[in-house]
Amino acid sequence: MRITPARRLAAVAAVATVAGSAVVALAAPAFAHVTVQPGTATQGGYTAVAFRVPDESDTASTVKIEVSLPMDHPLASVRTQPLPGWTATMEKSKLDKPLKAHGQDITEAVSKVTWTADAGTKIAPGQFQEFRLSLGALPADADKMTFKALQTYDNGDVVRWIDEAKEGQAEPAHPAPTLTLTKAAAATDQHAMGASQDKAAITGTATAKSSDNAARTLGVVGIVVGVIGAALGVMGLRRKTS
């Protein structure tokens, strides 16, 4: 049977559609992890983050999210942002070594925050919700903070987002939300660059003023010399006339 160009194009389009659907199906789970937004913060500083929780189920809804804070780098300040329809509770743990914050010794720190949906509230299939925290001071001697999370569905299923990604290996199936910490060197370098530019501008202004003063001085000297020359010329003419 002879295949016409139209049939050939239709077949190619169908294959492309199937392939595209397969790619989307494979890629979808990678975008459905529980993550922390934004993914970076400055060491030693304070920040506000949001734990983004998508509902991955086709039939069940998310009704609770638990986020454990790393106790190897405890935080002196943890605050929740009110979220209508959800009740936030915090658990604290005793510290082996007190933290110093604002001249006081902190003997316990928040170790877990739990958000529970009120009656009639949920994250339905195909939806997501963000749960916000204010954190500080972030550790100055760590390059990341890992927050292990548990996601509970209304059918009783619990997804444990607790696997830590390892360098050089594939991403785990249920990676824990991770906050990358960066040094404040960039801000320091920018400040130093600004100071250098200000100094250069001041130096350039001073040089310009010096050059302008020198030009004015030379101009005055030239005028004086011209006047003296003219006077001598007049005197010479008078002597010749006499």
Side-chain angles (χ1 to χ4, degrees):
M1 182 178 66
R2 182 170 176 268
I3 300 176
T4 64
R7 290 184 176 180
R8 185 180 294 109
L9 289 175
V12 171
V15 172
T17 301
V18 173
S21 300
V23 170
V24 171
L26 291 173
F31 295 97
H33 299 333
V34 174
T35 58
V36 57
Q37 304 293 331
T40 60
T42 303
Q43 292 177 341
Y46 286 75
T47 190
V49 299
F51 290 91
R52 184 172 296 170
V53 181
D55 190 278
E56 294 185 313
S57 175
D58 294 330
T59 57
S61 299
T62 301
V63 292
K64 185 168 69 173
I65 182 73
E66 303 168 68
V67 176
S68 295
L69 279 63
M71 295 308 292
D72 53 343
H73 293 290
L75 301 173
S77 176
V78 178
R79 292 181 172 86
T80 61
Q81 179 173 317
L83 181 62
W86 295 81
T87 300
T89 58
M90 293 191 294
E91 296 181 20
K92 294 186 176 182
S93 297
K94 290 288 185 181
L95 300 178
D96 296 333
K97 182 179 179 181
L99 287 174
K100 290 286 186 180
H102 306 291
Q104 298 181 347
D105 288 335
I106 307 298
T107 58
E108 59 181 12
V110 176
S111 55
K112 184 168 71 172
V113 181
T114 301
W115 288 271
T116 305
D118 300 337
T121 301
K122 60 185 178 181
I123 308 175
Q127 298 180 347
F128 76 93
Q129 182 59 266
E130 290 187 341
F131 303 86
R132 299 184 64 83
L133 288 180
S134 172
L135 307 174
L138 302 177
D141 57 349
D143 57 4
K144 68 177 181 179
M145 295 184 71
T146 301
F147 303 87
K148 296 184 178 183
L150 301 182
Q151 181 178 9
T152 302
Y153 289 86
D154 57 6
N155 63 356
D157 290 345
V158 177
V159 180
R160 301 169 62 84
W161 301 97
I162 62 174
D163 299 331
E164 295 190 38
K166 296 182 179 180
E167 188 175 355
Q169 296 185 11
E171 183 182 58
H174 298 92
T178 301
L179 179 66
T180 300
L181 302 179
T182 60
K183 297 183 181 297
T188 303
D189 293 345
Q190 186 175 5
H191 177 73
M193 183 181 297
S196 177
Q197 290 174 347
D198 291 341
K199 183 177 180 180
I202 294 172
T203 303
T205 302
T207 302
K209 288 183 177 179
S210 178
S211 299
D212 185 57
N213 291 336
R216 289 181 180 179
T217 301
L218 291 175
V220 172
V221 171
I223 292 172
V224 172
V225 171
V227 171
I228 294 175
L232 291 176
V234 171
M235 291 176 62
L237 289 174
R238 286 181 179 178
R239 288 179 181 178
K240 288 182 180 182
T241 304
S242 302

